[in-house]
Amino acid sequence: MKKLALLQVLLMSFIGIAQKNTSGFEKYPVFPECSEVAVSQLETCFNTTLQQFVYSNFKVPQVVVSEDYTGEVIVFFEVNSEGVFKVLYVEAFYNELKEEARRVFELLPTIVPATYNGNPSYVQFTMPIKIPLVMPSERNIGNTSVKSKQRSEAEAITFLKEEYDAIENKPYTNEKFSSSINIPLSHHQYSLFDPALNRVGQNNHTAQKPYVYSEVNAYYNFESEQQKLVKNKSSWLGRKWWNEHMVTIKGDGYWLTLDPGVDLQVGRDLDADIDTYNNTRLVYTQGGIGKQINFFAVVYESQGRFADYFNRYAESIKPDGGNPAIIPGRGIAKRFRSDSYDYPIATGHVSYTPSKHFNIQLGHGKNFIGDGYRSLLFSDNASPYPFFKLNTTFWKLKYTNTWMSLRDVRSEVTQDGSFRTKYMANHYLSYNVTKRLNIGLFESVIWENDNDRGFDFNYLNPVIFYRAIEFSTGSRGGNALIGLSAKYKFTDRVNAYSQLIIDEFSSGDIFGGEGSYKNKVGYQIGAKYYNAFGVDNLYLQAEYNRVRPYTYSHNSIVLNYGHNNQSMAHTLGANFSEFIGIARYQYGRIFGDLKVIVAKRGLEVNTTEDPFFYGGDIYGTEDNRPSDLGNELGQGNTTDFFHTEVQAGYLINPSTNLKVYGSLIFRDFKPEFNTESVFENQTTWINFGIRTDLFNWYYDF
């Protein structure tokens, strides 16, 4: 009421001022419909046009109708010097009426602004909207001010001092679903809307990940799907725990959510007799400023101890400098207590969408290209990294360019105590050939900071053949890969997909059949079956991956396809064949996943008697190969690998993706012969936890 009284005082003052300044120096704003009327009639035409627009577009909220409310909405607004309508204040009995008034005024077009003394100026108005709605001829609009300088200084100061109190925190209405924020990479989460994205006849693209919410929301209604899971909770704690974000802020042209999160796990490696745990606390925020800029950020603080095979691998890829490990997919860890790791990390991105054809992102995180569980082109296996990404979508095409800064943290490449920096640029062109068939073209190049050249601007050109640039800068100064992908939709419920990666295109070596070490290729073939056997939400997937020795490695020590001692493509590196079977199911908030992997791997021997590089570890140098010819998949220390993982749980909060779960992993690892670092072992790992699911954990290596 205090605000309304102040507003009325101001309006009375402004009305008096306006009545005294109806001279030839001022001219009303002009709607397109009023462009031909006489100057003396502009006020009437402006009023009539605005009244008719509001009457035609205003939708009285259901709560107002059901409660048989009679009254009015007072809208205080301006038309600025650029002809844009801007709501300054709304007074109404219901928040729903305030929201509706603001919505309608946001629909108004940009018009010719008012002028004062021949110069563009802004004009402020107050407009009553009768509830129930009344025909335009039965209500009036009043001009309240031609220019802000017409207010007295005291009135202006009084108005400005109410500015803080006038800030409204509007109800949050899931703005993220229509935003250009990346949907966090989570295999189970993506499986929920994968069927909606893969219907025959749609002109969308599914290989470039992570998706942004707005592109998926066109095919999968996040709002309605989330409403199906809402629990009827009236208390603040009940709503925040089961249904909502913890903190929401929304105002004119901006919104933000803020949530705490966890990844708390307790378990046991039964075979190694190790108690395991993970203690992650996190805070994440997401939001938007205007309609084109969105952002997402998350900060993790973590300590953990894992199953024996996981700990051994983490320590085998440790960085130079004394830190004991790199947690796979996470980052460098320092020692915590005597047998655990401490690994803090932060990720996030800013997303800018200037038009429906372009999306630009700057961030620190991960990306993925492909329709499979694995990717042979570009995956989210490694630790997060800085990136700049440009997505261009038009006609039947989606073109993605990504530029990254990566690190090699091995002691043999560290310079002056600093990790070695290298850069990667790749592009992927997705083309919907028919309503069923999609093909993709991929090219990537890695170069190092040799000769202090830093980021080579030759690779900034988004439409380019990187192989030609590689030769122009020196063939050993860069490592280029090319790839192909395809997907075919047999029905709305069944599709097949594939990938082909070529690391060194030498047709004579690839097709020669002599096992050349230059035959560095890999392929993937897979299929998905949605609502399998008529069971709603049952998702089945089968996938086969095969990568020859020496793929992704390079004769220059830094130019491998890796970051932080991890592969930027497949988790197993190279020199392997692998079959994966996956089943996922969700019923309401209950979910379950089953994964089975059978693989044949060729690992390095790494003994004094046999120090050769057999092509499995992408960080090896092919100059140390045992032979130019006769190289076969699985060479070296041939290892049979079996991994099965089952997980079941309950989704606590769909807004934050907070889950409680239990999991069981069985892993059988049988090399041809045992060495100090590679030896036969089995793992049975039981785990229970509560987790905010924002990234993929990979335990299957």
Side-chain angles (χ1 to χ4, degrees):
M1 291 305 293
K2 177 182 177 182
K3 297 176 187 175
L4 182 58
L6 174 60
L7 183 61
Q8 289 172 337
V9 170
L10 289 173
L11 293 181
M12 290 177 66
S13 301
F14 295 157
I15 289 171
I17 294 170
Q19 288 173 345
K20 294 176 184 178
N21 286 278
T22 56
S23 67
F25 295 113
E26 63 188 45
K27 181 181 177 182
Y28 250 69
V30 182
F31 278 101
E33 296 90 332
C34 305
S35 59
E36 302 297 328
V37 306
V39 173
S40 61
Q41 297 300 313
L42 284 179
E43 178 178 358
T44 301
C45 186
F46 176 84
N47 293 346
T48 302
T49 305
L50 181 58
Q51 291 168 353
Q52 185 60 55
F53 183 93
V54 173
Y55 182 79
S56 300
N57 289 276
F58 198 96
K59 298 177 182 178
V60 180
Q62 184 59 43
V63 64
V64 178
V65 176
S66 62
E67 296 186 8
D68 197 23
Y69 171 75
T70 300
E72 63 181 12
V73 180
I74 303 296
V75 184
F76 184 37
F77 67 96
E78 74 176 23
V79 182
N80 67 19
S81 59
E82 296 177 349
V84 177
F85 284 83
K86 181 179 179 182
V87 174
L88 303 176
Y89 191 77
V90 181
E91 192 74 34
F93 187 78
Y94 294 89
N95 283 329
E96 289 83 356
L97 285 173
K98 295 180 183 180
E99 289 291 320
E100 180 60 15
R102 293 182 184 276
R103 184 193 69 82
V104 172
F105 271 76
E106 287 178 357
L107 300 176
L108 283 161
T110 300
I111 64 175
V112 177
T115 61
Y116 183 80
N117 200 24
N119 297 314
S121 181
Y122 70 85
V123 192
Q124 295 179 336
F125 301 91
T126 182
M127 178 179 182
I129 304 173
K130 296 291 185 182
I131 304 296
L133 293 175
V134 179
M135 289 293 290
S137 60
E138 300 179 28
R139 70 177 187 271
N140 296 306
I141 266 185
N143 179 15
T144 62
S145 176
V146 176
K147 297 183 68 179
S148 63
K149 71 178 184 180
Q150 293 172 334
R151 303 176 189 166
S152 70
E153 183 177 354
E155 290 170 338
I157 292 174
T158 301
F159 182 80
L160 291 173
K161 289 181 70 174
E162 290 293 316
E163 192 175 32
Y164 182 88
D165 291 333
I167 296 175
E168 292 184 272
N169 187 22
K170 302 179 181 181
Y172 173 71
T173 53
N174 287 321
E175 276 73 16
K176 72 176 180 182
F177 295 151
S178 58
S179 74
S180 57
I181 292 173
N182 287 341
I183 304 174
L185 282 168
S186 165
H187 284 302
H188 184 93
Q189 186 72 7
Y190 273 48
S191 73
L192 300 179
F193 45 76
D194 207 41
L197 296 179
N198 282 283
R199 293 186 285 252
V200 176
Q202 294 179 174
N203 189 37
N204 58 318
H205 303 264
T206 58
Q208 294 100 321
K209 299 180 178 76
Y211 306 133
V212 301
Y213 277 103
S214 58
E215 65 181 335
V216 176
N217 202 45
Y219 305 94
Y220 177 87
N221 191 323
F222 285 104
E223 183 77 36
S224 64
E225 293 299 323
Q226 186 164 302
Q227 283 298 315
K228 296 176 183 178
L229 303 178
V230 168
K231 290 182 177 291
N232 185 18
K233 301 292 180 180
S234 57
S235 69
W236 180 88
L237 182 60
R239 289 185 289 105
K240 296 301 178 181
W241 176 253
W242 295 108
N243 299 321
E244 301 177 1
H245 291 284
M246 181 61 68
V247 177
T248 61
I249 299 173
K250 179 184 172 185
D252 289 331
Y254 62 88
W255 64 273
L256 178 145
T257 70
L258 182 67
D259 291 279
V262 296
D263 188 350
L264 306 178
Q265 307 172 25
V266 292
R268 187 168 181 81
D269 179 344
L270 299 178
D271 297 278
D273 198 25
I274 296 175
D275 291 325
T276 67
Y277 75 93
N278 187 71
N279 178 15
T280 295
R281 295 84 62 209
L282 63 93
V283 176
Y284 77 97
T285 183
Q286 56 193 339
I289 301 174
K291 296 182 178 179
Q292 297 175 315
I293 298 176
N294 294 106
F295 59 87
F296 178 93
V298 55
V299 177
Y300 304 85
E301 176 59 38
S302 305
Q303 295 83 37
R305 178 176 61 244
F306 309 94
D308 179 60
Y309 80 91
F310 193 100
N311 296 334
R312 284 190 286 107
Y313 178 71
E315 295 189 5
S316 74
I317 60 173
K318 68 181 180 180
D320 181 52
N323 286 311
I326 293 177
I327 305 303
R330 297 285 78 203
I332 295 175
K334 61 184 179 180
R335 180 64 65 191
F336 179 71
R337 296 177 179 169
S338 60
D339 57 358
S340 301
Y341 312 105
D342 187 319
Y343 57 104
I345 191 171
T347 62
H349 64 273
V350 176
S351 180
Y352 174 56
T353 307
S355 74
K356 66 179 181 180
H357 300 297
F358 295 99
N359 174 251
I360 302 168
Q361 295 186 12
L362 177 65
H364 185 263
K366 303 184 184 185
N367 296 274
F368 189 101
I369 291 178
D371 287 284
Y373 173 71
R374 309 286 202 190
S375 176
L376 306 186
L377 307 180
F378 187 40
S379 82
D380 62 337
N381 173 63
S383 306
Y385 44 82
F387 70 88
F388 178 78
K389 182 163 66 174
L390 170 64
N391 281 309
T392 306
T393 308
F394 65 96
W395 189 52
K396 303 175 184 179
L397 303 175
K398 183 174 182 180
Y399 190 46
T400 300
N401 299 86
T402 312
W403 295 269
M404 293 147 281
S405 176
L406 308 178
R407 293 189 302 179
D408 195 322
V409 299
R410 294 171 295 163
S411 58
E412 55 264 43
V413 301
T414 299
Q415 291 183 329
D416 301 323
S418 297
F419 297 137
R420 194 80 162 264
T421 298
K422 59 184 178 180
Y423 303 97
M424 179 190 289
N426 66 40
H427 62 235
Y428 181 80
L429 177 65
S430 174
Y431 172 39
N432 289 326
V433 183
T434 71
K435 65 181 181 180
R436 296 178 184 272
L437 176 64
N438 171 275
I439 61 173
L441 306 176
F442 175 80
E443 189 174 24
S444 179
V445 68
I446 296 176
W447 71 98
E448 62 176 314
N449 187 23
D450 55 341
N451 299 322
D452 293 322
R453 63 171 167 162
F455 187 91
D456 193 330
F457 287 88
N458 285 298
Y459 297 111
L460 275 182
N461 190 340
V463 184
I464 202 166
F465 289 99
Y466 289 147
R467 194 70 178 179
I469 293 294
E470 180 195 4
F471 281 110
S472 72
T473 58
S475 61
R476 289 179 71 97
N479 180 19
L481 296 85
I482 59 175
L484 300 172
S485 68
K487 180 178 68 176
Y488 190 82
K489 305 173 188 176
F490 293 97
T491 69
D492 287 352
R493 294 169 56 191
V494 178
N495 67 63
Y497 58 89
S498 63
Q499 287 185 342
L500 172 68
I501 185 71
I502 303 174
D503 188 2
E504 189 164 334
F505 191 76
S506 175
S507 58
D509 293 302
I510 292 175
F511 300 109
E514 296 181 329
S516 169
Y517 82 97
K518 293 183 179 180
N519 183 7
K520 299 160 66 174
V521 300
Y523 67 86
Q524 174 189 90
I525 185 167
K528 297 178 183 179
Y529 184 16
Y530 309 123
N531 297 328
F533 309 112
V535 179
D536 290 344
N537 302 319
L538 177 59
Y539 170 105
L540 299 181
Q541 182 176 8
E543 182 174 299
Y544 180 74
N545 297 291
R546 185 180 182 93
V547 179
R548 280 191 53 80
Y550 304 109
T551 309
Y552 306 120
S553 62
H554 199 267
N555 46 25
S556 296
I557 193 169
V558 177
L559 298 182
N560 50 70
Y561 205 60
H563 165 62
N564 270 4
N565 291 344
Q566 301 152 86
S567 170
M568 290 292 286
H570 198 289
T571 304
L572 301 184
N575 196 14
F576 69 88
S577 62
E578 171 194 53
F579 172 80
I580 307 173
I582 297 173
R584 305 186 192 277
Y585 179 71
Q586 182 149 340
Y587 178 77
R589 297 192 181 214
I590 300 171
F591 67 90
D593 295 325
L594 172 65
K595 178 171 56 183
V596 177
I597 299 175
V598 179
K600 178 181 179 181
R601 305 173 61 179
L603 304 179
E604 310 309 322
V605 178
N606 288 332
T607 63
T608 54
E609 296 80 12
D610 190 351
F612 294 108
F613 173 48
Y614 288 97
D617 179 4
I618 69 168
Y619 280 86
T621 172
E622 42 193 69
D623 289 341
N624 192 35
R625 60 188 179 273
S627 173
D628 288 353
L629 302 177
N631 295 282
E632 300 295 337
L633 189 142
Q635 67 182 15
N637 194 354
T638 305
T639 301
D640 292 324
F641 176 74
F642 176 79
H643 178 101
T644 185
E645 186 173 340
V646 61
Q647 181 178 142
Y650 184 82
L651 179 62
I652 297 173
N653 189 328
S655 290
T656 60
N657 216 17
L658 179 66
K659 303 174 177 179
V660 60
Y661 68 94
S663 68
L664 172 64
I665 292 175
F666 177 77
R667 179 181 184 269
D668 188 35
F669 188 83
K670 290 183 178 180
E672 183 178 352
F673 52 89
N674 292 332
T675 67
E676 182 179 350
S677 58
V678 176
F679 50 87
E680 181 175 351
N681 65 92
Q682 286 187 346
T683 301
T684 304
W685 186 8
I686 299 175
N687 211 14
F688 299 93
I690 179 170
R691 180 182 185 217
T692 303
D693 192 5
L694 299 178
F695 64 91
N696 287 317
W697 272 109
Y698 290 108
Y699 301 111
D700 44 18
F701 51 81

